Amino acid sequence: MKAPDLQPDFPHTSPAPKDQYNPPAKGFLSMLPTACVPYAELMRLEKPAGLYAFYFPYIIGLCYAACIRDSPPTLEHMMNLAGLFLVWCIILRGAACCWNDNTDQEFDRKVLRCRFRPIARGAVSTTQGHLFTAALGLAGVPILLNLPAECTYHAVPVTLLFMLYPFAKRVTYYPQVVLGFPFAWAIFICCAALEVDPFHPQVFGSAACLFVANVCWTIIYDTIYAHQDIKYDVAAGVKSMAVRFANSTKLLTSILAVAQVVLLLGAGRLAGLSSVYFIVSCGGTAFALINMIGRVDLEVPASCAQWFHRGFWYVGGTVAAGLFAAQSDREATLGPQVVVQTPTAQSDVFGTLISSLTKMPKKAAGENTKKAAGNAKKAEAAAQKAAVENSKKAAAEDVEWSKGSKSNAKREEAEAKKAEAARKKAEKDALLAEEERNAPSKPKNTKTAPKKTSAAPARGLNLDQLDEPPQNGPLNALNATGIDNALDALSLTSGAANGEKVDRHPERRFKAAYAAYEARRMPELEEEMKGLRRQQRIDVIRKEFERSPENPFNQVSVGFDATKEEIREVKQKEKEKVEQRLGK
């Protein structure tokens, strides 16, 4: 494979080395004034491949933050942020390249591919390069001012790490690792832009996995890219992972590719993403990395440059597409959501400038966080009210279901009323008997004194006077402490347990019971576990309901086709359980 055969299909890659600098005769740079061309070359405006390295992590970060956000953002809001970050990446990339060229100008003059860069060839002086870098840094300030304040906090380490990168090539063979961190930090910036805290305990695990996966991705493509200049880097004393692992680069990148896919799987698992993410993002990334590492020819600089470009679309595109599909699947599952956006931009001084660049609408007059918070509370109250209404409708529906042709609802209702009346009568008699026992005895000077009983009263609630048990029967007295145990004891002594209703169709009551349980527990969990997303709260409620006595399946029930003997056996077992619990 020869470089000239590969070059025509990829004009964005570095041109073949030449003996002297020739001003651009076509393309975007040829239309600029001659004095502006060196500065446009410093920003690499004619080579968009490097821009993909900056921009794809932001697209991935936006899609990821949208997947884990409590209320999904609108598509318009996502597009506005994507446009804003595109401008941010163009400026940030220009400043980073200008700083790198100024710092590495002595190295660039010794590398065939880099010797005609503007500062290396003398078209831009060192001072002019530093001033242009500072100007680009200031140009990025208006963009940060139109984002939440947390984005600015994250932009500081990104800037410092890009400034550190040129010096890392002088002291370590792992400058690609240093470069990976500012690129991957886009995940945190995008989370902050959508008002998601990436360091929250519920979020940090998945965000960290995605962060490290991006670091691995950066090391892979930049190590392959560095093979273009490996012999010149060795001669100039420039260190890189391509130089360190010159004879085992494909083994190294294969190990990193496996680590990246595993980390993507972990991020999806911890974030609770749908299966479409694992198929598109994880499966697509694995296929793209295998294809890239297997087909790139590290001995041919043009092949390295071309796969450097292709890798962004193959790997970055599949990861972003899978996350976007997972977010769309989430919206389809949850249904329409009430989305309340609370922009917290630091200032709107340059709002007109940024709006013209990104078409982002300006903040409406009078809009503030208090108003947004009030709207959020109203939306929450409306959602709770709707949940209660749904539970009522479900209960009414279950009643209608219970009126089927095979239902014994009327007979069972009569039996339940009869059992309830017997229970109340037994309870009343027991209370009267207890009052008589506790009444004061007659004075000693009366002619006849009451005869003392020979046996001391049993501890607890003695209910043996309510029904005369068999002389050889197993039940003489029950120790019942508490109202629940007392009612169970009364049901045994009064015979109400035998008339207890046994549900033949617990599945009919399950939906309404769960809806009522969820409507009651959701506001409580929102106070107890404020860091959880709505879906996580629902999962907690479902697990609680599985063990709750309110679950119809945890109550006494039989199959819909159970015989009378089976029903009688179930009632007898429940009665024995109560007797064993209360004891003699």
Side-chain angles (χ1 to χ4, degrees), residues 41-42 84 105 114 286 301 319 352 380 429 432 445 458 550:
E41 291 177 334
L42 277 177
L84 196 61
Q105 54 181 294
C114 307
V319 175
T352 304
E380 183 179 357
D429 294 341
L432 290 174
N445 57 358
E550 299 180 29

Side-chain angles (χ1 to χ4, degrees), residues 26-351:
K26 58 181 180 179
F28 170 71
L29 296 187
S30 63
M31 297 182 289
L32 296 177
T34 305
C36 297
V37 171
Y39 295 97
E41 291 177 334
L42 277 177
M43 296 181 67
R44 310 286 200 274
L45 294 181
E46 81 283 11
K47 299 174 182 177
L51 178 61
Y52 306 148
F54 280 78
Y55 191 48
F56 264 111
Y58 284 89
I59 297 298
I60 293 171
L62 281 176
C63 294
Y64 164 75
C67 287
I68 63 174
R69 198 170 184 256
D70 283 338
S71 55
T74 62
L75 180 61
E76 180 183 3
H77 186 52
M78 291 281 289
M79 295 300 294
N80 287 335
L81 287 175
L84 196 61
F85 281 126
L86 175 60
V87 180
W88 163 255
C89 287
I90 293 173
I91 295 174
L92 181 63
R93 182 205 180 199
C97 291
C98 187
W99 172 260
N100 185 77
D101 287 2
N102 219 347
T103 307
D104 287 348
Q105 54 181 294
E106 295 300 328
F107 289 145
D108 287 347
R109 294 187 180 103
K110 300 176 183 179
V111 178
L112 184 63
R113 183 177 60 88
C114 307
R115 60 180 177 168
F116 291 122
R117 286 177 175 173
I119 296 179
R121 73 173 187 263
V124 177
S125 67
T126 300
T127 302
Q128 290 173 331
H130 286 314
L131 291 175
F132 187 58
T133 302
L136 289 173
L138 292 175
V141 173
I143 298 177
L144 294 175
L145 292 177
N146 280 269
L147 291 170
E150 289 77 6
C151 293
T152 302
Y153 306 149
H154 289 295
V156 173
V158 170
T159 304
L160 294 177
L161 287 168
F162 276 127
M163 294 179 67
L164 177 64
Y165 169 68
F167 301 101
K169 292 183 284 188
R170 293 163 167 79
V171 297
T172 178
Y173 283 103
Y174 302 94
Q176 281 77 19
V177 177
V178 177
L179 185 64
F181 278 83
F183 281 137
W185 214 288
I187 305 298
F188 296 158
I189 295 179
C190 291
C191 285
L194 285 175
E195 299 177 347
V196 175
D197 182 8
F199 299 107
H200 190 280
Q202 298 291 338
V203 178
F204 181 70
S206 61
C209 287
L210 192 59
F211 180 94
V212 181
N214 271 266
V215 173
C216 294
W217 181 32
T218 303
I219 296 173
I220 292 170
Y221 69 67
D222 200 64
T223 300
I224 292 174
Y225 184 74
H227 267 270
Q228 294 181 100
D229 310 315
I230 187 169
K231 63 179 181 180
Y232 299 102
D233 287 346
V234 172
V238 177
K239 298 180 179 180
S240 70
M241 294 182 71
V243 175
R244 175 65 179 81
F245 301 95
N247 298 322
S248 56
T249 296
K250 290 206 172 185
L251 175 61
L252 171 68
T253 52
S254 298
I255 295 173
L256 290 171
V258 172
Q260 180 181 348
V261 174
V262 171
L263 288 165
L264 289 175
L265 289 169
R269 178 69 179 85
L270 292 173
L273 302 181
S274 63
S275 58
V276 67
Y277 163 80
F278 296 97
I279 296 172
V280 177
S281 292
C282 302
T285 297
F287 178 79
L289 290 173
I290 291 172
N291 188 42
M292 179 174 70
I293 295 172
R295 296 180 62 183
V296 64
D297 189 348
L298 299 176
E299 301 296 327
V300 179
S303 176
C304 297
Q306 290 171 15
W307 282 105
F308 170 76
H309 167 266
R310 288 174 174 173
F312 295 120
W313 289 102
Y314 293 168
V315 178
T318 53
V319 175
L323 287 167
F324 184 79
Q327 165 60 12
S328 302
D329 184 54
R330 177 194 177 205
E331 290 183 358
T333 303
L334 296 179
Q337 298 286 322
V338 179
V339 180
V340 180
Q341 298 176 3
T342 56
T344 56
Q346 304 170 48
S347 173
D348 202 27
V349 176
F350 300 95

Side-chain angles (χ1 to χ4, degrees), residues 434 437-438 453-462 464 477 479:
E434 185 68 14
R437 274 203 311 273
N438 296 332
T453 57
S454 58
R459 295 181 62 186
L461 181 61
N462 189 349
D464 58 343
N479 293 324

Side-chain angles (χ1 to χ4, degrees), residues 557-575:
S557 61
V558 295
F560 72 94
D561 56 350
T563 62
K564 293 182 179 181
E565 289 74 13
E566 291 174 341
I567 296 175
R568 190 179 302 109
E569 183 180 353
V570 170
K571 291 181 179 180
Q572 182 62 28
K573 287 182 180 179
E574 290 299 318
K575 182 178 179 180

